[in-house]
Amino acid sequence: GTDYTVHILDQQCANPLHIDCTFVPIGHKKAMINPNYMPYDRLPQVVKEEWEILVAPEYVIVPSEFSDLNMCSANLAFNFLMINPRLAIVDKEQKPLIELLQKHGIECIGLSSRYLSPYCGAFHCWTLDIVRDENASQDEIERQVAIAKSFSQ
């Protein structure tokens, strides 16, 4: 319909399976790009002009006993989940990513994805987060934070 405009992302991944490891919406007209797959200069002009774009830092490689079983690239480190525009669930080992998000006013809950990465996914892939409320009340945001934090203990 006329309510939406679709923009083609000219990404550079040879085997694109996870858009959420390439271009991650993190708020209204705000996104993070993975420079390994989506260089800034390849973004649609309208996105460069109208969106705030954060460039993801280098990911932290976290070896584990499952490293040989992991069929995904290390870029899976960018696969984080936005609970709301001010709260994200992020792999706790990705300290540079957490610092960048916090610098931009996004609180992060760090959880381990160590035992799940062999299954080809991370926090965003494991959910169906299609409904978001950017106008959530402070009480609702605090409720969401408390629920998410309860899983990190």
Side-chain angles (χ1 to χ4, degrees):
T2 59
D3 293 342
Y4 300 95
T5 303
V6 176
H7 300 285
I8 305 296
L9 295 177
D10 184 21
Q11 56 79 37
Q12 295 182 321
C13 178
N15 300 304
L17 296 175
H18 295 270
I19 185 68
D20 42 17
C21 293
T22 303
F23 183 91
V24 182
I26 57 176
H28 180 70
K29 291 196 173 191
K30 188 175 191 177
M32 180 176 291
I33 59 172
N34 175 347
N36 298 317
Y37 292 158
M38 176 55 52
Y40 182 84
D41 64 341
R42 296 189 70 151
L43 287 171
Q45 192 61 35
V46 67
V47 173
K48 288 192 275 190
E49 291 172 358
E50 297 181 13
W51 287 54
E52 179 183 357
I53 301 295
L54 306 181
V55 178
E58 279 294 313
Y59 50 82
V60 176
I61 296 174
V62 183
S64 78
E65 62 272 28
F66 299 107
S67 296
D68 292 341
L69 301 174
N70 193 345
M71 296 183 291
C72 296
S73 81
N75 290 289
L76 197 60
F78 299 121
N79 191 294
F80 59 92
L81 174 65
M82 294 300 298
I83 300 297
N84 64 50
R86 295 180 295 276
L87 178 65
I89 295 177
V90 183
D91 184 323
K92 69 181 183 178
E93 303 299 332
Q94 301 305 317
K95 304 281 191 231
L97 176 60
I98 291 169
E99 289 171 11
L100 177 64
L101 290 169
Q102 289 174 335
K103 178 180 169 187
H104 288 272
I106 299 170
E107 183 179 354
C108 296
I109 297 172
L111 300 175
S112 175
S113 64
R114 175 183 187 157
Y115 298 106
L116 298 169
S117 60
Y119 299 103
C120 294
F123 302 110
H124 189 264
C125 293
W126 302 327
T127 64
L128 183 59
D129 61 325
I130 58 172
V131 177
R132 298 175 190 205
D133 183 359
E134 292 185 14
N135 299 312
S137 70
Q138 187 62 35
D139 288 342
E140 176 60 18
I141 291 170
E142 288 173 9
R143 185 183 76 77
Q144 291 174 358
V145 169
I147 290 169
K149 281 186 174 177
S150 71
F151 289 105
S152 67
Q153 301 174 10

